Amino acid sequence: MKHLLLVLLLLTGSLGRVMAQNDIQKIESQKIGYITNRLNLTTEQAPQFWAIYNDYNGKKKELNRKVRQLTGENSRQGMVANDAAVLSNLKELNGAKQKLGDLDDEYMPRFLKVISPTQLQELYKAERNFNRMLLEKLNSNQD
């Protein structure tokens, strides 16, 4: 009986991970469609653009993860840590935010070899709009 319960728990956990992975893939597919349409990418532009964007987006996700981590540490340490530790953390947070700006500067010429400046500006808008829509949908599902 214990083995059956253990197997059921393992299967339930695995199913949850598979469902979460499917949700992530669905969101990524929607994002690709949304950005492709907003930028009005041609069939020639799309493969080159997505190769650059995927590299850029992977680095951007890592930096955003670092910012969220540091922001969480700052709020937790504020009550316990000394001023020097908090200041060090804040400097590290500012450095991570600066790296996000540097990443945009680094990738701008790469994007501009494939898409127009207007399309690049639209990319930044499309990312913000997609993320906002996603958050609104998640918030409405929690109500």
Side-chain angles (χ1 to χ4, degrees):
M1 187 66 169
K2 285 183 183 179
H3 295 295
L4 179 60
L5 183 58
L6 181 61
V7 169
L8 285 173
L9 286 173
L10 289 173
L11 286 175
T12 303
S14 297
L15 181 61
R17 281 192 300 275
V18 168
M19 288 174 59
Q21 185 64 32
N22 286 339
D23 288 344
I24 291 169
Q25 288 173 345
K26 186 189 298 185
I27 291 168
E28 286 297 320
S29 294
Q30 290 172 346
K31 183 178 180 181
I32 289 169
Y34 184 78
I35 290 174
T36 299
N37 287 334
R38 288 287 302 263
L39 270 59
N40 198 22
L41 294 174
T42 66
T43 54
E44 295 80 29
Q45 288 175 315
Q48 295 172 317
F49 169 80
W50 286 109
I52 297 166
Y53 182 83
N54 290 335
D55 187 46
Y56 163 79
N57 197 46
K59 292 177 181 178
K60 187 176 174 182
K61 281 181 182 180
E62 285 300 314
L63 289 170
N64 281 324
R65 186 175 297 124
K66 181 75 171 173
V67 166
R68 284 190 306 275
Q69 175 191 0
L70 290 168
T71 302
E73 286 178 14
N74 284 342
S75 63
R76 285 191 300 274
Q77 286 184 353
M79 303 295 259
V80 180
N82 61 34
D83 285 345
V86 171
L87 184 58
S88 173
N89 226 11
L90 288 171
K91 287 181 179 181
E92 192 175 353
L93 175 62
N94 287 343
K97 288 179 180 179
Q98 180 66 46
K99 286 180 183 178
L100 280 166
D102 293 345
L103 184 68
D104 285 340
D105 288 342
E106 176 187 342
Y107 275 82
M108 185 183 294
R110 295 179 191 180
F111 281 125
L112 291 175
K113 287 180 182 176
V114 178
I115 60 176
S116 72
T118 302
Q119 286 174 308
L120 182 57
Q121 182 180 31
E122 189 61 33
L123 169 64
Y124 296 144
K125 288 180 189 176
E127 285 182 314
R128 281 192 310 274
N129 288 340
F130 184 84
N131 290 336
R132 183 183 38 72
M133 289 185 325
L134 184 60
L135 286 173
E136 287 172 0
K137 184 173 182 173
L138 288 172
N139 287 334
S140 70
N141 286 344
Q142 290 179 354
D143 295 337

